[in-house]
Amino acid sequence: MIWLIQDAHRKYDEVEKEANALEGLSYKFVGFGMIPFTNIVTGIDVDILNDSVIIRGGTKVLDLIIADSFDIEGANDIQRDNFRNGIFYDAEKFDQAYYTSLNLPLLNSNATIHNVSDILHTKFDKPAFIKPSNDRKSFNAQFVDVGQTLEESIKSSMYQIGYETETCVVSFDIANIKRECRFFVVDNNVVTGSHYRINDVTIPKVIQTDDIIWSIADEYALLYKPHDVFVMDIAETDEGFKIVEYNCLNASGLYLADVKKLFISLQNYQNKHKIVVD
C-alpha cells in the first residue's frame, strides 16, 4: 500500500498536513504532479503501481481518472487499474441530479436541476443560489442577483473551462445558514469532522465531542451512501440540520479534521478491499 499525494498546484498547507500525518503514521507515500494543460501525470515510478494506492489530489486528477484519460509514462494496464482504484468515487451517485429524488434532508430540497447551457444566458427575476450538481467544482457555488445571468455571475467570480456542459442545482429558497460542518465517512462510520464555515465566513474549527451535530452526522451517514467512503457536508439552519452535499474524499479539503485518524481508517479500508490481480 502506498499513498500518492499531489504536491504541485495544490495549497501548500494542505499538502504539508497530509505529509506530516503520513510520516507520523509511518505510512509510505510519494508526491506526484500534473503537467499544466495536459493529461500527463508526473513523478510516479510505475513499479509502485504494482500495489494498491490511495490518492489525494485536486479535481483535475479526479476528472482524468474518471474519464480514464490520464497518461502515466510506462504504465501497463494493471498499473493503470491500480492507479484508478486509488479513488473512492461513483460519478452518478455523487451527483445531486441523481440523489435529489431520494427524499433526503437536503439543504436545497426544493431545488431544480438544469443543464447549464439551457440557462446560461437567462436573466433571473429573483435571487437564486446555483451550484454544479456534481462535486467536481466546474464553477463555484454562488448567488445570482436579479437581472444577472448565470454566465455573468460565474465569470465575475471564477471562470473555469467546461462548465457549459455540466448540470446545475438552482434554488430560489435562500436558507439562513448558521454553520457548516464536514464529516468523513468510511465503511458506515463517521470517522472525523470539522467546522468549515460559520455565519457565512470560512472558519475551520474543531467540533466538540458533545456537539449535537455529531449524532446528526451519524444518523445522516446511514441515509445514503454514494460510496463506502465519502464526505458529507451538513449545515445548521433555522429549519434544522440539512445535508449540503456529498463529495469525493480524495479531493476534499480536510480543514481541522483528525487527519491521522482518517488516514488510518482509509488505509485499513483499502487493505480490506484490495483487488488482487493474477
Side-chain angles (χ1 to χ4, degrees):
M1 163 70 68
I2 191 162
W3 291 68
L4 302 179
I5 307 298
Q6 183 182 354
D7 54 10
H9 310 295
R10 291 180 67 213
K11 293 180 179 179
Y12 173 79
D13 58 345
E14 193 81 350
V15 175
E16 184 180 42
K17 184 188 303 180
E18 294 165 6
N20 288 341
L22 293 168
E23 287 175 350
L25 292 167
S26 297
Y27 285 176
K28 296 179 181 178
F29 71 97
V30 297
F32 74 94
M34 296 288 306
I35 296 179
F37 310 110
T38 75
N39 63 347
I40 300 173
V41 179
T42 63
I44 296 179
D45 181 343
V46 293
D47 287 342
I48 68 176
L49 296 179
N50 292 325
D51 199 355
S52 59
V53 303
I54 296 175
I55 297 170
R56 280 287 299 169
T59 54
K60 180 180 178 180
V61 172
L62 181 64
D63 283 339
L64 290 176
I65 294 174
I66 293 167
D68 195 20
S69 61
F70 59 89
D71 182 15
I72 302 176
E73 184 178 358
N76 60 36
D77 289 344
I78 292 175
Q79 292 163 337
R80 286 178 61 84
D81 285 344
N82 282 341
F83 184 73
R84 189 182 300 108
N85 290 327
I87 66 168
F88 312 109
Y89 198 68
D90 181 314
E92 179 185 44
K93 292 183 178 179
F94 274 95
D95 195 321
Q96 191 167 336
Y98 174 84
Y99 62 75
T100 195
S101 63
L102 301 181
N103 198 31
L104 298 167
L106 297 175
L107 179 65
N108 307 116
S109 59
N110 295 321
T112 53
I113 307 294
H114 298 268
N115 293 322
V116 170
S117 59
D118 292 341
I119 63 169
L120 193 58
H121 305 295
T122 301
K123 288 185 180 290
F124 286 78
D125 57 6
K126 54 183 176 180
F129 175 73
I130 299 182
K131 67 175 184 178
S133 69
N134 63 45
D135 72 324
R136 301 200 301 278
K137 308 299 185 286
S138 56
F139 64 89
N140 287 340
Q142 59 202 274
F143 294 99
V144 180
D145 293 330
V146 173
Q148 188 179 37
T149 68
L150 176 57
E151 183 178 46
E152 290 168 343
S153 181
I154 291 174
K155 287 185 175 181
S156 69
S157 57
M158 178 182 290
Y159 178 79
Q160 293 187 341
I161 295 173
Y163 62 81
E164 299 96 333
T165 61
E166 301 288 350
T167 56
C168 65
V169 175
V170 179
S171 177
F172 296 105
D173 297 330
I174 311 300
N176 178 33
I177 298 176
K178 301 174 183 178
R179 59 171 171 160
E180 295 174 67
C181 297
R182 172 161 292 178
F183 293 94
F184 300 83
V185 184
V186 181
D187 246 358
N188 294 321
N189 296 307
V190 178
V191 177
T192 184
S194 171
H195 288 91
Y196 64 91
R197 187 172 292 119
I198 300 174
N199 294 325
D200 208 29
V201 178
T202 300
I203 303 176
K205 181 182 176 183
V206 172
I207 305 173
Q208 300 303 319
T209 55
D210 59 350
D211 194 320
I212 189 175
I213 202 166
W214 277 112
S215 59
I216 296 294
D218 286 334
E219 175 187 345
Y220 285 4
L222 300 179
L223 297 179
Y224 173 67
K225 298 193 304 179
H227 192 282
D228 285 345
V229 175
F230 62 94
V231 170
M232 176 178 59
D233 293 344
I234 298 177
E236 182 177 3
T237 75
D238 292 340
E239 286 74 43
F241 293 95
K242 303 293 183 180
I243 297 170
V244 179
E245 62 186 6
Y246 298 90
N247 287 298
C248 174
L249 191 147
N250 300 83
S252 293
L254 302 175
Y255 298 106
L256 293 183
D258 186 331
V259 182
K260 283 187 176 181
K261 188 175 182 181
L262 175 62
F263 283 6
I264 290 170
S265 294
L266 291 176
Q267 178 137 325
N268 288 342
Y269 173 86
Q270 197 73 327
N271 282 329
K272 177 181 175 183
H273 295 83
K274 186 175 181 179
I275 298 174
V276 178
V277 182
D278 295 327

